[in-house]
Amino acid sequence: MNKKFNKNEINLRVAHNKACILFYEKNFSQCEVNEVGIVKEAIKKNDLRLVYDCYLILGMASRGMQNYETAIDYYNKAYFQAEKLKNYPQYKLLKAQPLNYIALVLQKQHKYRDAIVYSEKALSQDDFKTNDPVSYVYFTNALAYSKFKNNDKSCLDIFKSSLKIGDSLENFHMTLTSKLYLSEYYFHYKNNSLAKKYAIEAYEASHTNKICEDELKALELLADIDTTKSTYYREKYIALSDSLQNVERATRNKFARIEFETDEITTEKKLVEAEKERISAQRWLFLGTGLFSVIALILLYIVKAQRTKNKELQYLQEQQQANEEIYKLMLGQQQKLEEGKQFEKKRISRELHDGIMGKLTAIRLNLFVLQKRDDPETIAKCVTHVNEIQEIEKEIRKIAHDLNNNMFSNQSDFTVMVDNLVENIKEHSTIDFQIFTDESIDWLSVNNNVKMQVYRILQESLQNIEKYAQAQKVSISMLKEDNSLAIKVTDDGIGFSGKTKGGIGLKNMKERALEIGGILKVKSEPGKGTQISLIIPT
């Protein structure tokens, strides 16, 4: 039918569509309120098709609120309204639809015999099997379900026929309904295997196609059929039901927000129109304001120019002060450079004394044996010490570059370095060394500068013992205590008086300890040996 709609008719149809959205979002009460107002206007304007559609939606909303008698009344009104739509191509379907909906309401009321009558009446309106297979399946499914509830086993053939038609049309909505009915039928007649089969198929199809209501029905059936997994299916049912409620609530809020924003846009349109009138009235006022603003800008320019001159003068004064500060900073920087030079001189002095001189002393003592023995075996051992002189030459060349990293950057195990230091002394000494190392110490994580200073302190201590202590036994312990490293070197030598003035070696040891935040203590008495303790916080 070719029909032109005026603006009012379009607005009514839009309002009806909004009411339909409210229905699908299960806001039944608001849908009913909106639709009642629309049907009144549609009757006044003699919009026959809109009146029919409104009665159908009102019937569905009443059914959703379980007002079954009211729903049947609206469906009957729609049925009689359809009599006025004979010129519509879908006239027969329009008559059959309210009858089918009445049958569904009667099923809710458990009036299955009456439901069968209305389903058969709906099917009698046309040859739907030929002309409209989709509607035919929906109508026959409703008829078969009423027969099933009325203990009429002929419903099974109807369910199977509906399923076959749905499969041939590739309409998963129809096949879902048929499978749910078949599952319920077989469960009723104790055929749990077939009941479970159709329920699972219905569940998987509804889950894949996101038809949540049918998915809930399938889960409910599976919970009843498969008692071993009843808890599992009921938990899924509850989770899905809660999720749907949240989605419905969010959608309702979104729909209300859209409606509110639409009203806001309308209000804003009115405000814009009012604003236009207000702007028109204020044009002369703006003209006067503009003239006043020009005068004010001129005055502001004069004031700003004066302030700029004052700022230039202030800037010159600040520049002079800045120059004086820069000069002071340069003097301070020069002083720091001189202090840095003095510090480096002391540091290099310590490295030469503790490192180079210590190694040279050890080599000299090792080579001293050549004065007593000149057999090939002794000469072969001494050759290795000659090679060490080449390593000392390399260390001297590199010492100006970076004393902190040269010796330790390629060492993977600090304890091996200490063992090597002791072994070098053993080659020309009869001292009995004992080394105790705490295995929980992670030397790889210890700062290279810390390891270097600890090594130099140990080296200086052992050289002093070898030269002066006349010791028979020396004990070296490296332990982890709370949040610190405890290094101790103990000998049974002749000791010395606490009043004895220490040389540069002892002074260097204390300076090295302070440099890494440690504390060095020397405890000794004549005839009772010496103990050197180094505590380093970690």
Side-chain angles (χ1 to χ4, degrees):
M1 295 178 64
N2 294 325
K3 181 179 177 181
K4 293 184 178 179
F5 295 93
N6 61 37
K7 186 177 179 180
N8 291 332
E9 288 175 325
I10 292 173
N11 289 338
L12 272 180
R13 181 58 65 175
V14 170
H16 169 70
N17 291 338
K18 288 173 67 177
C20 291
I21 293 172
L22 289 169
F23 166 76
Y24 289 120
E25 296 306 327
K26 296 186 178 181
N27 191 348
F28 303 122
S29 58
Q30 189 60 49
C31 171
E32 183 182 48
V33 170
N34 291 5
E35 203 70 347
V36 167
I38 296 165
V39 75
K40 288 179 181 178
E41 289 298 316
I43 291 170
K44 288 180 183 179
K45 299 180 182 300
N46 199 30
D47 190 337
L48 301 179
R49 178 57 190 270
L50 183 56
V51 172
Y52 172 87
D53 291 340
C54 288
Y55 283 144
L56 279 186
I57 291 296
L58 283 167
M60 291 186 225
S62 297
R63 187 175 70 178
M65 292 185 289
Q66 299 181 0
N67 297 330
Y68 297 130
E69 294 301 328
T70 305
I72 291 173
D73 182 57
Y74 280 127
Y75 288 139
N76 277 319
K77 288 181 178 181
Y79 173 76
F80 291 114
Q81 183 67 20
E83 289 291 341
K84 303 175 184 179
L85 302 173
K86 291 181 180 180
N87 295 330
Y88 276 75
Q90 304 104 344
Y91 164 69
K92 293 180 180 180
L93 177 61
L94 294 176
K95 284 193 69 178
Q97 278 182 330
L99 296 172
N100 185 61
Y101 287 138
I102 291 172
L104 296 176
V105 173
L106 291 170
Q107 286 178 2
K108 293 286 186 181
Q109 294 179 304
H110 306 292
K111 298 177 181 179
Y112 301 113
R113 291 179 184 275
D114 295 336
I116 291 170
V117 172
Y118 276 93
S119 291
E120 290 175 344
K121 189 175 179 181
L123 285 165
S124 68
Q125 300 300 314
D126 193 11
D127 183 11
F128 291 109
K129 187 173 184 179
T130 303
N131 300 328
D132 189 354
V134 175
S135 298
Y136 172 78
V137 170
Y138 284 122
F139 296 164
T140 53
N141 266 333
L143 172 63
Y145 189 78
S146 296
K147 286 186 174 185
F148 160 59
K149 288 295 184 177
N150 204 38
N151 296 319
D152 185 351
K153 291 187 177 181
S154 66
C155 65
L156 180 59
D157 293 332
I158 302 174
F159 287 146
K160 289 182 177 180
S161 174
S162 299
L163 178 58
K164 187 175 181 181
I165 295 171
D167 287 337
S168 66
L169 296 174
E170 296 183 351
N171 187 317
F172 59 85
H173 287 283
M174 291 190 294
T175 57
L176 266 176
T177 304
S178 298
K179 286 179 180 179
L180 287 170
Y181 285 162
L182 281 167
S183 176
E184 190 174 348
Y185 173 88
Y186 283 119
F187 177 66
H188 179 75
Y189 287 105
K190 311 299 182 183
N191 190 342
N192 285 359
S193 60
L194 281 176
K196 184 178 178 181
K197 171 183 176 294
Y198 283 113
I200 289 174
E201 289 177 0
Y203 168 71
E204 290 175 349
S206 59
H207 182 74
T208 301
N209 294 284
K210 297 182 180 180
I211 305 174
C212 298
E213 291 186 0
D214 288 342
E215 187 177 353
L216 286 172
K217 291 177 185 176
L219 286 169
E220 192 173 19
L221 276 170
L222 284 168
D224 293 332
I225 295 166
D226 191 351
T227 55
T228 60
K229 297 177 69 177
S230 177
T231 303
Y232 168 76
Y233 288 121
R234 293 196 189 281
E235 286 176 352
K236 294 200 74 172
Y237 178 93
I238 292 168
L240 179 58
S241 179
D242 292 343
S243 175
L244 287 176
Q245 288 180 6
N246 291 334
V247 171
E248 287 171 9
R249 191 178 298 112
T251 307
R252 287 180 192 173
N253 293 339
K254 184 176 180 181
F255 183 81
R257 186 169 64 252
I258 291 170
E259 193 171 25
F260 172 73
E261 289 173 355
T262 304
D263 293 337
E264 277 192 326
I265 290 170
T266 304
T267 304
E268 286 176 1
K269 183 180 178 181
K270 293 178 181 178
L271 289 173
V272 168
E273 292 175 353
E275 184 68 13
K276 284 182 179 179
E277 295 177 1
R278 188 179 66 83
I279 291 172
S280 178
Q282 290 180 344
R283 283 180 180 175
W284 287 104
L285 178 61
F286 287 158
L287 183 61
T289 304
L291 183 61
F292 174 80
S293 299
V294 170
I295 297 171
L297 285 171
I298 293 171
L299 293 174
L300 182 63
Y301 173 78
I302 295 170
V303 173
K304 189 174 182 180
Q306 186 63 39
R307 287 181 178 177
T308 302
K309 289 181 180 180
N310 293 337
K311 283 185 177 180
E312 287 177 353
L313 180 60
Q314 184 180 357
Y315 172 78
L316 291 173
Q317 293 174 347
E318 290 174 353
Q319 186 66 33
Q320 186 176 359
Q321 292 176 356
N323 290 336
E324 293 175 358
E325 291 294 328
I326 291 170
Y327 180 72
K328 290 178 181 179
L329 288 172
M330 290 175 65
L331 290 177
Q333 188 66 23
Q334 185 64 31
Q335 183 178 354
K336 287 182 180 180
L337 287 172
E338 290 299 324
E339 290 174 357
K341 289 178 181 179
Q342 294 300 321
F343 175 80
E344 282 299 307
K345 286 180 180 179
K346 290 182 180 179
R347 184 174 68 85
I348 293 172
S349 173
R350 286 204 310 268
E351 291 300 325
L352 289 172
H353 178 272
D354 297 344
I356 305 301
M357 292 301 296
K359 288 182 179 180
L360 288 173
T361 301
I363 292 170
R364 178 174 60 79
L365 292 173
N366 284 325
L367 294 177
F368 187 76
V369 72
L370 290 174
Q371 293 179 349
K372 299 178 181 180
R373 290 185 293 175
D374 57 354
D375 56 280
E377 183 180 352
T378 302
I379 293 172
K381 286 183 179 180
C382 291
V383 168
T384 60
H385 300 303
V386 173
N387 293 334
E388 289 179 7
I389 296 174
Q390 294 178 347
E391 295 299 321
I392 293 172
E393 290 175 355
K394 292 180 183 179
E395 188 172 348
I396 292 172
R397 282 196 298 269
K398 294 178 182 178
I399 198 167
H401 175 62
D402 189 2
L403 289 174
N404 289 342
N405 294 325
N406 282 339
M407 185 172 182
F408 293 87
S409 59
N410 296 323
Q411 293 292 338
S412 59
D413 193 338
F414 181 75
T415 57
V416 173
M417 295 178 62
V418 175
D419 290 340
N420 291 338
L421 177 64
V422 171
E423 289 300 323
N424 285 336
I425 296 174
K426 282 183 177 180
E427 290 183 4
H428 56 265
S429 173
T430 60
I431 298 174
D432 180 18
F433 287 93
Q434 290 183 332
I435 302 175
F436 302 95
T437 303
D438 192 339
E439 294 182 355
S440 65
I441 301 174
D442 183 9
W443 289 106
L444 291 177
S445 64
V446 177
N447 185 274
N448 281 345
N449 185 48
V450 172
K451 289 190 284 188
M452 185 189 73
Q453 303 301 352
V454 171
Y455 181 83
R456 295 303 189 202
I457 291 170
L458 287 173
Q459 188 180 47
E460 179 68 20
S461 300
L462 295 178
Q463 288 175 2
N464 288 340
I465 291 171
E466 186 180 8
K467 288 180 182 178
Y468 311 117
Q470 301 178 21
Q472 299 299 316
K473 293 182 179 180
V474 175
S475 171
I476 302 171
S477 66
M478 295 180 286
L479 305 176
K480 187 173 183 180
E481 298 179 355
D482 296 330
N483 295 322
S484 61
L485 290 176
I487 315 295
K488 291 183 181 179
V489 180
T490 306
D491 68 66
D492 61 352
I494 61 175
F496 59 88
S497 172
K499 297 180 180 180
T500 301
K501 185 176 180 181
I504 188 171
L506 184 59
K507 180 182 178 183
N508 286 347
M509 288 166 63
K510 290 182 178 180
E511 287 181 356
R512 289 183 185 277
L514 288 173
E515 188 173 321
I516 57 176
I519 299 173
L520 183 76
K521 293 182 180 180
V522 180
K523 182 180 178 182
S524 182
E525 292 183 19
K528 294 184 179 181
T530 303
Q531 184 182 75
I532 298 173
S533 300
L534 174 63
I535 304 298
I536 308 165
T538 57

